[in-house]
């Protein structure tokens, strides 16, 4: 298919349709409302269900219900809305249901602002809701990758029976770039008959499926947590995705960055190269599972003197970078937030200070 | 080689659409493109601006402080952004609404009475198409026939207004050539 020019939000919506998403529930919030607008029109065309909930709390449980019934389901929101959904996320993870959550992050905390931010890294990767659970978190750096990750997200959610989050930001949601909906990105059919409450007669089975998150027997609850833990360990083995830019050089500094911020860093690296200074960038595409070993390996290259995490936050991913580099190199941080995005010139100034 | 064009004006002047059409035509020519709106809590009639990046390689930073060119559709836009344009760039001035000039010696001014031309072509609403056509003709960034085709595609659902917009387009090109 030929390339089309689309806004990130619309491209995510179209990708969901092509991945076979049949149910979408959401509550409007800037900067992602175009997803809902697009799907309100598009989902009925494919006999899907579009429903605007009365709040994000309700939407979270609509997702839980549809996912439990084996429907391919998605919601999209932005930071404050995702906070409201976090309780349901914990339930969905505990009950092992597949669902796709998209967070087009805006500045926080509180109502914050509506401009792009990366302040929800902790919320996305370390919880948000209660209990020992993780989301599988994918972080696109542009519209094309947002499409590919949305389509992957449904497959991954079903493979692990776990919620998957796309962590974008307002820039990715609002900007237009050429996108291609490649046929090879189609999602796999679901294994839902094994677990979903989609009706015994529907699946031709005598076995009852049960979706629940309440385990009053401590041994049973411990066991459920072990099952979840085994899935997160499997994600760490099988699902890590990352990219390293300009690593075939004797780089003195390794930048770690993701999403929109990584694109600015890439421009800064190109500009530094013109001055004869080599800097590399490590870009995780999966924030959970975090590319632990790969970032360590990139950091400890002999030429590399220091690592700096550059984020549109006050310092969140840097904690994972520090953890993975294990003290082998100094790990610095630079960030701006609230909608301010560090410029390539600013990054160059900061990086030069490390050399 | 990367070119960045900032389009700026009042909300409702069709700034975002002009920018999108330019990006679309450049994409059809095989370039990498990005269309980056300023989004914020704006009201109707407030300022709207948008940047298009056209490049022969992967586009890194989508944040552009100093664009190559500026298309200013109203006075506040010219006053706010003219100083940011890189030396050697085009500063397009809609002289129907802007009585002043950029006061820069190191850029090329393209002064076109966009609204007057659009009214003559049939509707002031085609002002954005006049500006786009004139800017495209002067900058040579995209093939003009291809750009026309993109406009026709964009308005496919409103076929009635295509002929008027084509008239506006041709008048815009002519104005640029005569300036």
């Amino acid at each position: 298919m030929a390339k089309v020019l689309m806004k990130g939000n619309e491209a995510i919506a179209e990708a969901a349709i092509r991945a076979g998403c049949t149910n979408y529930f959401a509550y409007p919030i800037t900067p992602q409302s175009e997803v809902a607008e697009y799907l309100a029109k598009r989902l009925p065309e494919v006999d899907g269900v579009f429903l605007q909930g009365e709040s994000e709390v309700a939407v979270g449980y609509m997702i839980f219900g549809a996912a439990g019934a084996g429907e391919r389901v998605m919601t999209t929101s932005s930071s404050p809305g995702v906070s409201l959904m976090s309780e349901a996320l914990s339930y969905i993870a505990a009950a092992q249901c597949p669902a796709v959550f998209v967070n087009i992050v805006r500045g926080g905390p509180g109502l914050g602002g509506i401009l792009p931010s990366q302040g929800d890294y902790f919320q996305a990767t370390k919880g948000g809701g209660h209990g020992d659970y993780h989301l599988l978190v994918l972080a696109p750096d542009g519209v094309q990758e947002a499409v590919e990750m949305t389509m992957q997200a449904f497959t991954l959610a079903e493979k692990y029976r776990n919620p998957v989050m796309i962590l974008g930001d307002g820039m990715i949601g609002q900007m237009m770039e050429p996108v291609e909906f490649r046929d090879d990105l189609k999602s796999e059919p679901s294994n839902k008959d094994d677990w979903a409450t989609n009706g015994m007669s529907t699946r031709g089975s005598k076995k009852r499926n049960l979706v629940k998150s309440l385990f009053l027997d401590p041994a049973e609850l411990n066991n459920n947590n072990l099952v979840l833990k085994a899935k997160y360990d499997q994600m760490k083995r099988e699902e890590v995705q990352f990219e390293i830019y300009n690593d075939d050089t004797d780089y003195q500094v390794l930048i770690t960055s993701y999403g929109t911020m990584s694109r600015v860093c890439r421009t800064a690296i190109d500009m530094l190269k013109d001055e004869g200074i080599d800097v590399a960038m490590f870009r995780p595409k999966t924030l959970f599972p975090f590319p632990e070993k790969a970032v360590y390996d990139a950091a400890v290259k002999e030429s590399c003197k220091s690592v700096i995490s550059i984020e549109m936050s006050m310092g969140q991913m840097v904690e994972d970078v520090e953890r993975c580099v294990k003290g082998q190199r100094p790990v610095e941080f630079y960030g701006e937030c609230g909608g301010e995005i560090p410029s390539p010139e600013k990054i160059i100034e900061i990086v030069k200070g490390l050399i | 080689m990367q070119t960045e064009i900032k389009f700026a004006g009042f909300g409702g002047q069709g700034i975002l659409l002009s920018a999108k059409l330019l990006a679309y035509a450049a994409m059809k020519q095989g370039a990498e493109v990005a269309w980056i709106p300023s989004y914020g809590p704006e009201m109707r009639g407030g300022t709207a601006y948008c940047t298009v990046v056209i490049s022969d390689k992967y586009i890194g930073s989508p944040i552009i402080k100093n664009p190559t060119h500026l298309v200013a559709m109203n006075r506040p836009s010219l006053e706010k952004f003219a100083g940011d344009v890189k030396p050697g760039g085009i500063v397009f001035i809609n002289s129907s609404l802007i009585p002043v000039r950029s006061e820069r010696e190191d850029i090329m001014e393209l002064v076109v009475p966009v609204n007057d031309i659009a009214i003559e072509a049939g509707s002031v609403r085609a002002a954005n198409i006049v500006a786009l056509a004139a800017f495209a003709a002067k900058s040579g960034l995209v093939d003009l026939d291809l750009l026309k085709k993109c406009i026709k595609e964009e308005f496919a659902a409103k076929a009635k207004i295509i002929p008027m917009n084509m008239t506006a387009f041709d008048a815009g090109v002519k104005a640029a050539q005569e300036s």
Side-chain angles (χ1 to χ4, degrees):
Chain A
M1 196 190 140
K3 282 186 176 176
V4 288
L5 192 61
M6 281 180 109
K7 260 193 173 193
N9 284 334
E10 294 169 347
I12 287 169
E14 181 59 30
I17 295 276
R18 287 166 191 254
C21 174
T22 53
N23 285 243
Y24 172 85
F25 312 117
Y27 188 81
I29 182 169
T30 303
Q32 64 76 51
S33 295
E34 292 90 351
V35 184
E37 185 184 357
Y38 189 95
L39 288 175
K41 180 162 176 272
R42 189 77 169 85
L43 261 172
E45 291 173 7
V46 294
D47 294 325
V49 177
F50 168 90
L51 189 66
Q52 179 176 321
E54 65 270 39
S55 75
E56 287 91 344
V57 176
V59 164
Y61 287 98
M62 289 174 184
I63 298 288
F64 189 13
E71 292 295 322
R72 210 162 255 185
V73 63
M74 177 174 89
T75 187
T76 59
S77 191
S78 182
S79 311
V82 176
S83 291
L84 289 169
M85 292 176 185
S86 292
E87 181 191 54
L89 271 167
S90 167
Y91 281 61
I92 296 168
Q96 299 195 62
C97 293
V100 175
F101 284 73
V102 180
N103 184 358
I104 300 297
V105 181
R106 57 188 250 178
L111 274 179
I114 61 173
L115 294 172
S117 162
Q118 296 182 326
D120 295 358
Y121 180 93
F122 284 151
Q123 185 193 49
T125 61
K126 313 287 180 196
H130 57 282
D132 279 302
Y133 80 95
H134 281 287
L135 307 175
L136 198 158
V137 184
L138 303 166
D141 72 346
V143 180
Q144 179 66 37
E145 203 168 79
V147 163
E148 290 167 16
M149 285 181 171
T150 302
M151 300 187 81
Q152 269 180 30
F154 287 94
T155 307
L156 288 168
E158 283 165 12
K159 176 177 175 183
Y160 289 98
R161 289 174 50 198
N162 197 72
V164 173
M165 178 167 281
I166 311 279
L167 196 70
D169 63 59
M171 180 64 74
I172 287 165
Q174 293 295 324
M175 76 191 289
M176 276 196 210
E177 288 189 300
V179 285
E180 201 174 357
F181 295 93
R182 300 201 316 266
D183 287 339
D184 61 309
L185 292 171
K186 286 257 184 306
S187 296
E188 309 282 325
S190 157
N191 55 357
K192 62 186 176 187
D193 283 356
D194 299 342
W195 55 268
T197 55
N198 56 348
M200 285 192 284
S201 59
T202 309
R203 60 178 182 268
S205 159
K206 293 252 160 55
K207 181 183 144 277
R208 279 180 74 209
N209 286 341
L210 185 59
V211 170
K212 64 166 189 170
S213 74
L214 179 66
F215 301 93
L216 289 174
D217 173 14
E220 209 191 335
L221 179 55
N222 190 48
N223 187 55
N224 194 52
N225 274 292
L226 289 172
V227 169
L228 299 185
K229 170 80 164 53
K231 295 199 299 188
Y232 305 139
D233 289 343
Q234 189 188 348
M235 288 177 195
K236 288 180 185 178
R237 288 192 305 274
E238 296 180 15
E239 310 304 343
V240 168
Q241 296 178 40
F242 61 88
E243 178 194 25
I244 316 181
Y245 186 61
N246 203 35
D247 62 325
D248 54 354
T249 58
D250 288 328
Y251 54 87
Q252 302 178 60
V253 175
L254 179 70
I255 293 174
T256 56
S257 193
Y258 71 97
T260 294
M261 194 65 249
S262 72
R263 294 177 64 148
V264 185
C265 293
R266 192 186 286 254
T267 295
I269 289 170
D270 290 345
M271 289 163 75
L272 281 163
K273 207 178 181 64
D274 291 340
E275 295 183 37
I277 300 170
D278 271 315
V279 169
M281 174 175 66
F282 187 92
R283 176 171 79 94
K285 296 188 195 182
T286 50
L287 301 181
F288 186 91
F290 196 75
E292 296 171 347
K293 184 175 180 308
V295 76
Y296 175 85
D297 290 345
V300 300
K301 183 164 172 169
E302 209 181 327
S303 63
C304 180
K305 300 283 177 286
S306 60
V307 179
I308 180 165
S309 192
I310 300 180
E311 305 171 34
M312 284 140 58
S313 79
M314 287 288 106
Q316 300 198 13
M317 184 175 79
V318 63
E319 292 192 7
D320 275 332
V321 176
E322 273 176 339
R323 173 173 66 82
C324 298
V325 172
K326 297 176 183 168
Q328 296 299 306
R329 292 291 184 279
V331 176
E332 310 289 341
F333 172 77
Y334 182 76
E336 293 175 25
C337 63
E340 297 294 329
I341 301 177
S343 65
E345 291 77 15
K346 185 71 195 175
I347 293 168
I348 289 169
E349 180 195 321
I350 298 290
V351 167
K352 279 185 175 169
L354 297 174
I355 294 171
Chain B
M1 175 67 186
Q2 181 167 303
T3 308
E4 304 109 4
I5 311 97
K6 182 167 244 167
F7 288 79
F10 292 124
Q13 274 185 312
I15 304 296
L16 302 183
L17 179 62
S18 293
K20 182 185 156 190
L21 288 163
L22 182 70
Y24 189 49
M27 180 188 85
K28 292 246 173 189
Q29 275 181 195
E32 295 289 336
V33 300
W35 174 96
I36 305 124
S38 69
Y39 73 93
E42 298 286 3
M43 57 185 175
R44 192 172 293 265
T47 54
Y49 60 93
C50 172
T51 308
V52 172
V53 183
I54 301 173
S55 180
D56 54 8
K57 62 182 176 72
Y58 179 89
I59 294 168
S61 173
I63 295 100
I64 308 294
K65 259 201 218 147
N66 299 107
T68 320
H69 308 299
L70 168 70
V71 176
M73 291 292 277
N74 66 359
R75 183 171 178 167
S77 301
L78 181 72
E79 289 172 344
K80 192 168 176 191
F81 299 122
D84 295 342
V85 177
K86 283 181 194 142
I90 297 170
V91 172
F92 179 99
I93 298 173
N94 174 13
S95 57
S96 303
L97 298 181
I98 309 176
V100 296
R101 299 296 175 259
S102 73
E103 290 172 18
R104 281 185 62 175
E105 304 284 315
D106 59 345
I107 51 89
M108 199 187 331
E109 277 186 354
L110 174 57
V111 181
V112 178
V114 169
N115 291 42
D116 301 296
I117 294 173
I119 289 165
E120 205 167 300
S123 167
V124 71
R125 293 184 64 188
N128 62 335
I129 300 297
V130 176
L132 174 64
F135 172 75
K138 191 74 172 179
S139 65
L141 281 171
V142 293
D143 180 78
L144 294 178
D145 288 331
L146 176 65
L147 185 55
K148 265 178 129 168
K149 213 174 130 227
C150 292
I151 295 171
K152 284 181 194 160
E153 273 178 41
E154 178 68 31
F155 291 140
K158 300 181 242 173
K160 260 199 332 214
I161 65 167
I162 292 177
M164 189 266 289
N165 277 289
M166 291 299 109
T167 308
F169 188 96
D170 293 337
V173 172
K174 193 160 160 267
Q177 283 162 350
E178 287 170 359
S179 74

